[in-house]
Amino acid sequence: MQFNLDINGERHALDVDTRTTLLDALRDHLGLTGSKKGCDHGQCGACTVIVNGRRINSCLTLACMHDGDEITTVEGLGAPEDLSPLQLAFVEHDGYQCGYCTPGQICSATAMLDEIKAGWPSNVTGDLEAQVDASIEEISERMSGNLCRCSCYPGIVDAIRQVAREEAGA
Amino acid sequence: MRSFDYVRAGDTAQAVREAGSEETRFIAGGTNLLDLMKLEVMAPGKLVDITRLDLGGIEETADGGLRIGALVTNSDLAADARVRRGWPVLSRALLAGASGQLRNKATTGGNLLQRTRCYYFYDRGEPCNKREPGSGCAAKDGVNRILAILGTSEHCIATHPSDMAVAMRALDARVEIEGAEGRREVALGEFYRLPGDTPQIETVLKPDDLITAVLLPAPAGGRQIYRKVRDRSSYAFALVSVAAVIEVEDGVISKAQLAFGGLGPMPWRDADVEAALVGAAPSAALFDRAADILLAEAKGYGGNDFKIPLTRRTLAAVLTQATEASA
C-alpha cells in the first residue's frame, strides 16, 4: 500500500504491506531507529512517539493509518549537538543505565508535560478541576506507561521535574 | 499477523456498507485489536478504518446530558471540563485505566468492545471457547485469579476489562448504533450478553453495526466515586472495581447507582443491591447486607475465590466514603 508519512517535518513516501506498524515503518523502512521495540504489545513504552501532539505507542498502530498525520520521533526532538531540555536533563540526572527505554521515556515525557500544561487530571489528582502540579506522584503516575528495566526511575523523575520547573518559570 | 485488506471509510454509511461479514472488523484506536492480531487470536480478512469519520465530538444534548462521539479518545473524554464537573465518576474511571499513551489512542467505542484479558483467550496453545467455540475452557481449572465470579457459565469465566464501561453502566449510559437498517439506541445494561454456551458472542452488535456514540443522561449528582483494586497502583487491570453515585438526604440514602468491574463478563449492576440501599440509613450492617445480595450467586474457581471477600470489603469502603458526613 502506498501512502505518505510526515516525520520530523519531512515527508516520506512509503509502499509497504498493510500489516506494517508505525514502529516497523520508522525503524525498518525509514532508518529512524531511535524509537525502540521492547514488548511490541503496548506494555513497555519504548516505542513511544508523538503524533499530532499526542504521545502514543507506535507498535500498536498501523503505519497506513497515519497518512497526513504529523509524527515526531526522538530524532526530531534534538540532535547530539543540540539536545532538547529533557534530553539534557536526562544526561544531567542520570535518567538511564542501558538507555534502551530512553527515547520512549523522552518522547513520552515531552508530550506528558504538555498534558499537564493543558490541565489534564490524572489518577492521582485530588481535585479533578484544580490546577495540576508536576509533583513526583503526578509524574510517576503519568509515566507509568514507560518501563525501565534498569529501574532508573528516580533519575527519570528528577529530570522531568527539573524541566517542568524550568518551563513553569519561563 | 495474517494479511488483510484495508479500507478507509469516508463516511458512516460507507463504513457500514464495507462491513457486514464476520471476517471484517472496524479499526479506530486499534490498541486491543492490533495486539490480538499480532498474536493471531483475531485474524480479520478486512479492516475498515473509521478514524476519518466525523464521530470525534462531545455535544450537550437537549435533556442536559452528553453525546460522546465513538471516536472521542479516552484522554479527551477524561479531561473534558463538562465530564469532570458533571460526571466525575467517568473521568475517574478513565484515568484509572491503561497508560497515558494508550488513553491517547483508545476510543470510546473501542473501549466498550475490548476483549477479555483472560490468559487462556490470549494463549492459542490452550483451549478457549471464546476464541475457538467448542474447544473447552482451560481457565476454570487453571490460573484464574483475575477472572469472573458473577455471570459465568461452564463454558467461560472471562471478565470484561474496561473501567470506562463500569462508570458508564452506573451512569445509565446508552449506546448509539448505526447499522444496515438505520440508527438505534441500546441501554448499556442491555448491550452485553452473558456467555452461556456462546461466549464468543459478547454484545448485541451485528457485523455491520457501528457504534457512533455513547449517550449520558443529565448529571446524576450525588457523590461519585470510582475505586479500583489492582495488583499495582498504576497501569493494571482491575481485580475489583466499584463505580458509585450515592446521595444521602436527611440521614437516609436517597440514590444509589452502583456498577462493578472485574467481577463478571460485563460491567455488573444489580438492581436488588440498589433497592436495598435506597431508603435506608447508612450503616456497616446495611453495607454488609448489600454485599450479601450482590454476592448471593458468586462462584469462585479457586484462584479467584479471594474476589468474594475483596468485593465485600471494597463495596463497604466505597459506601462508607460515599455516605459519611461531608467534611
Side-chain angles (χ1 to χ4, degrees):
Chain A
M1 183 174 173
Q2 293 184 2
F3 56 95
N4 295 313
L5 289 181
D6 293 322
I7 305 161
N8 304 329
E10 214 174 300
R11 174 156 292 196
H12 301 266
L14 277 102
D15 187 359
V16 298
D17 191 289
T18 51
R19 286 172 285 189
T20 312
T21 63
L22 179 57
L23 176 61
D24 288 341
L26 292 170
R27 289 182 57 82
D28 299 343
H29 297 275
L30 298 169
L32 291 165
T33 53
S35 307
K36 296 294 187 276
K37 184 178 284 192
C39 68
D40 208 26
H41 287 278
Q43 297 173 5
C44 76
C47 69
T48 303
V49 300
I50 303 169
V51 175
N52 299 331
R54 300 280 176 92
R55 54 180 171 152
I56 67 165
N57 301 112
S58 64
C59 75
L60 277 190
T61 191
L62 296 172
C64 63
M65 292 175 73
H66 292 282
D67 196 345
D69 286 345
E70 196 181 301
I71 299 159
T72 304
T73 67
V74 72
E75 291 93 341
L77 292 178
E81 66 285 358
D82 181 25
L83 297 176
S84 78
L86 269 164
Q87 287 172 322
L88 280 168
F90 268 67
V91 173
E92 189 180 326
H93 292 275
D94 213 13
Y96 45 78
Q97 183 176 312
C98 80
Y100 195 78
C101 73
T102 311
Q105 299 277 2
I106 287 177
C107 283
S108 185
T110 300
M112 183 276 287
L113 289 175
D114 288 339
E115 294 169 3
I116 290 182
K117 273 185 239 162
W120 289 13
S122 85
N123 189 47
V124 298
T125 307
D127 177 352
L128 279 181
E129 297 182 72
Q131 182 137 17
V132 186
D133 181 36
S135 63
I136 293 174
E137 197 189 13
E138 284 282 359
I139 290 170
S140 303
E141 161 61 24
R142 290 165 190 265
M143 292 297 292
S144 70
N146 290 85
L147 304 186
C148 173
R149 280 300 302 273
C150 307
S151 214
C152 296
Y153 299 110
I156 292 169
V157 172
D158 286 347
I160 296 170
R161 284 187 83 201
Q162 177 182 308
V163 173
R165 274 196 302 267
E166 285 166 5
E167 288 184 353
Chain B
M1 199 188 296
R2 307 272 182 86
S3 65
F4 52 85
D5 294 327
Y6 170 86
V7 180
R8 183 182 294 161
D11 57 45
T12 303
Q14 189 201 347
V16 170
R17 249 193 340 269
E18 290 283 356
S21 109
E22 292 291 345
E23 289 298 299
T24 303
R25 287 286 180 274
F26 295 118
I27 184 164
T31 53
N32 191 202
L33 178 59
L34 289 171
D35 190 23
L36 291 165
M37 286 171 64
K38 286 183 182 192
L39 297 165
E40 298 189 5
V41 172
M42 292 179 76
K46 178 167 140 189
L47 290 184
V48 179
D49 178 353
I50 58 167
T51 55
R52 310 295 164 120
L53 305 188
D54 185 21
L55 300 173
I58 305 174
E59 298 151 26
E60 286 155 49
T61 59
D63 64 354
L66 285 183
R67 180 179 182 279
I68 303 159
L71 291 175
V72 173
T73 64
N74 288 179
S75 293
D76 283 324
L77 186 55
D80 186 272
R82 293 160 295 186
V83 175
R84 286 195 254 172
R85 197 175 318 118
W87 298 267
V89 68
L90 178 56
S91 276
R92 290 287 181 198
L94 285 158
L95 295 170
S99 67
Q101 289 96 318
L102 290 169
R103 288 192 296 272
N104 277 341
K105 206 84 181 69
T107 63
T108 303
N111 190 312
L112 291 178
L113 299 179
Q114 275 190 88
R115 310 298 304 274
T116 184
R117 262 52 174 203
C118 175
Y119 308 127
Y120 300 94
F121 176 66
Y122 271 75
D123 185 349
R124 288 167 60 232
E126 296 278 355
C128 169
N129 287 320
K130 190 185 277 298
R131 175 170 33 78
E132 204 183 322
S135 63
C137 172
K140 280 187 304 177
D141 300 312
V143 178
N144 53 38
R145 71 185 296 277
I146 65 168
L147 298 175
I149 56 170
L150 289 168
T152 58
S153 74
E154 59 177 305
H155 304 285
C156 186
I157 63 169
T159 46
H160 193 270
S162 174
D163 292 294
M164 181 197 82
V166 177
M168 285 180 170
R169 179 102 203 252
L171 291 168
D172 291 318
R174 299 177 69 77
V175 185
E176 183 190 280
I177 299 160
E178 186 104 12
E181 286 129 47
R183 180 174 285 198
R184 68 187 195 278
E185 279 177 31
V186 177
L188 190 55
E190 286 154 23
F191 179 75
Y192 295 106
R193 292 175 39 141
L194 288 172
D197 57 5
T198 53
Q200 74 278 15
I201 304 171
E202 296 170 358
T203 69
V204 299
L205 292 178
K206 294 195 285 281
D208 55 4
D209 277 340
L210 176 69
I211 297 174
T212 47
V214 170
L215 303 155
L216 293 183
R223 272 199 199 164
Q224 302 195 10
I225 295 170
Y226 189 73
R227 186 161 179 143
K228 179 174 179 179
V229 183
R230 45 183 161 172
D231 281 328
R232 59 183 181 204
S233 62
S234 185
Y235 198 12
F237 290 99
L239 294 168
V240 174
S241 72
V242 181
V245 180
I246 304 282
E247 203 156 54
V248 179
E249 275 178 60
D250 303 325
V252 169
I253 297 173
S254 55
K255 176 184 282 186
Q257 296 172 209
L258 290 165
F260 301 85
L263 301 187
M266 60 178 75
W268 201 258
R269 196 164 167 184
D270 187 329
D272 291 340
V273 172
E274 296 172 18
L277 291 168
V278 172
S283 71
L286 177 69
F287 303 160
D288 220 34
R289 198 154 68 242
D292 287 340
I293 297 168
L294 174 69
L295 296 165
E297 306 281 320
K299 177 173 162 51
Y301 291 84
N304 65 354
D305 291 350
F306 76 99
K307 283 194 178 187
I308 297 172
L310 182 62
T311 302
R312 179 177 293 277
R313 290 201 292 267
T314 308
L315 177 59
V318 167
L319 291 174
T320 302
Q321 186 189 344
T323 57
E324 63 196 1
S326 27

